[in-house]
Amino acid sequence: MIGSALLGAAMITALFTLGASANEPNVSHQVVIEKFKFIPATLTVKAGDTVEWINRDIVPHTATEDKRAWDTKNLNKGQAGVITFSSPGEQSYICRFHPNMKGIITVTE
Amino acid sequence: MSINLKKLIPLIFAVSFMSTPTFAGDKMNDLEIAHSAYTAGTIDIRYAHLALGISENKNVRDFAQTMIRDHGAVNDQAVALITKLKVTPQDNDLSKALVKGAAQKRAQFIKLNGKAFDCAYATNELGYHKVVNKTVEGNFIPNVTVAPLKSLLQDALATFKAHEGHAERMVTALKCSN
């Protein structure tokens, strides 16, 4: 009786362990804005991950999805903005102030 | 790479369609460079305010807003630096030439509206940034001796080069030659 209870507990623990490994923890990524470029310009993340943009230029920038689905808002020198990505797909973005600055975030399942 | 300022000022005036002023010396000191760099930014902010008062073109207005925001940020950094260093920038012949040329340009601009204004403003922005970038890269950065000022000028140059590219795309989009 005790033996079967212990076996059951061990199986439950194993299931939770397996569950934890199947659902990897969310990751925080970083994109540096420097000399009017997003570095890296392309980035692949998993759904649930976050991306932080940090501005190292002396002028303000933004990271803004092409159709304004998300926007870090103004980032002055040294400031950072974080966006959480939940929907899979490719998302192009620009700096609203300097539209020639372009980047792509690819969100996978 | 250093540019002779006797050659530079006529270049600035060629952009401004003005006569060539006399210029006493070739090499500017750090305080004169700081003054001229700040003056160049202030002039572009004034052009941008004029554009916001006259233009109804979204691209032109967006560009003007960016000039106000960016040149304001660069000049704020310059003020912070000279405050920290406890120095006072020195007015000089190049700054005077820039101010005089810009006043004449503004006098031309306020007589225009519609596409004529947009094209005049956009074309001037392209020419102005080209001349300023050539000056900052070829003269100011090589000659300046104080490290933090050199670093600020390098950051400013990256900004102004981005503006030059932006101005070029604005001129193309306006189809000013049609």
Side-chain angles (χ1 to χ4, degrees):
Chain A
M1 184 71 173
I2 293 172
S4 61
L6 282 173
L7 182 61
M11 285 177 68
I12 289 168
T13 305
L15 281 172
F16 271 106
T17 306
L18 284 171
S21 62
N23 296 316
E24 293 172 16
N26 296 329
V27 176
S28 300
H29 305 265
Q30 192 178 70
V31 175
V32 173
I33 304 173
E34 197 164 35
K35 296 203 185 313
F36 286 73
K37 285 183 179 153
F38 295 113
I39 305 168
T42 59
L43 182 65
T44 300
V45 305
K46 287 188 182 297
D49 285 358
T50 59
V51 178
E52 178 190 57
W53 281 265
I54 181 159
N55 180 16
R56 295 207 176 129
D57 277 342
I58 56 174
V59 298
H61 290 296
T62 74
T64 307
E65 196 271 340
D66 284 355
K67 293 176 182 169
R68 309 294 190 266
W70 48 265
D71 188 351
T72 60
K73 305 280 173 35
N74 288 22
L75 301 175
N76 293 326
K77 183 183 180 184
Q79 288 185 328
V82 178
I83 302 288
T84 302
F85 291 89
S86 49
S87 305
E90 189 175 283
Q91 305 189 29
S92 301
Y93 67 96
I94 57 167
C95 167
R96 270 189 288 117
F97 306 145
H98 313 100
N100 207 43
M101 293 172 59
K102 293 175 182 173
I104 295 172
I105 302 290
T106 303
V107 185
T108 59
E109 297 273 3
Chain B
M1 188 65 184
S2 183
I3 290 174
N4 185 322
L5 285 175
K6 279 181 181 166
K7 293 178 182 171
L8 176 65
I9 290 186
L11 187 60
I12 289 165
F13 272 70
V15 172
S16 306
F17 305 105
M18 291 187 71
S19 59
T20 306
T22 56
F23 187 66
D26 283 343
K27 194 171 180 184
M28 297 167 73
N29 65 38
D30 287 1
L31 297 176
E32 290 173 326
I33 288 171
H35 192 282
S36 291
Y38 187 91
T39 301
T42 304
I43 285 169
D44 207 42
I45 289 170
R46 288 194 69 180
Y47 283 142
H49 280 293
L50 188 62
L52 290 177
I54 295 177
S55 180
E56 294 177 0
N57 181 291
K58 186 180 183 304
N59 286 343
V60 172
R61 294 181 65 83
D62 286 350
F63 180 89
Q65 292 280 16
T66 295
M67 293 308 102
I68 292 168
R69 188 184 304 109
D70 286 3
H71 286 291
V74 172
N75 277 2
D76 285 349
Q77 298 274 328
V79 169
L81 180 59
I82 61 169
T83 303
K84 186 180 169 189
L85 297 175
K86 296 178 180 168
V87 295
T88 305
Q90 289 174 0
D91 199 2
N92 58 82
D93 285 355
L94 178 57
S95 291
K96 288 184 174 80
L98 285 167
V99 169
K100 196 172 176 183
Q104 175 137 336
K105 269 286 167 192
R106 283 195 304 274
Q108 293 171 359
F109 288 164
I110 58 173
K111 295 174 186 165
L112 305 172
N113 56 43
K115 188 175 178 181
F117 173 84
D118 292 339
C119 286
Y121 171 71
T123 305
N124 185 62
E125 282 300 295
L126 179 55
Y128 186 71
H129 278 92
K130 277 184 176 173
V131 171
V132 168
N133 289 343
K134 190 173 269 190
T135 308
V136 173
E137 188 166 29
N139 186 279
F140 290 0
I141 291 174
N143 286 333
V144 79
T145 62
V146 176
L149 180 55
K150 191 184 282 277
S151 174
L152 178 57
L153 287 169
Q154 285 165 338
D155 285 342
L157 181 62
T159 301
F160 302 159
K161 281 190 172 178
H163 292 172
E164 183 181 328
H166 196 161
E168 198 156 21
R169 290 188 296 279
M170 176 170 61
V171 169
T172 302
L174 285 167
K175 297 178 180 167
C176 295
S177 54
N178 293 348

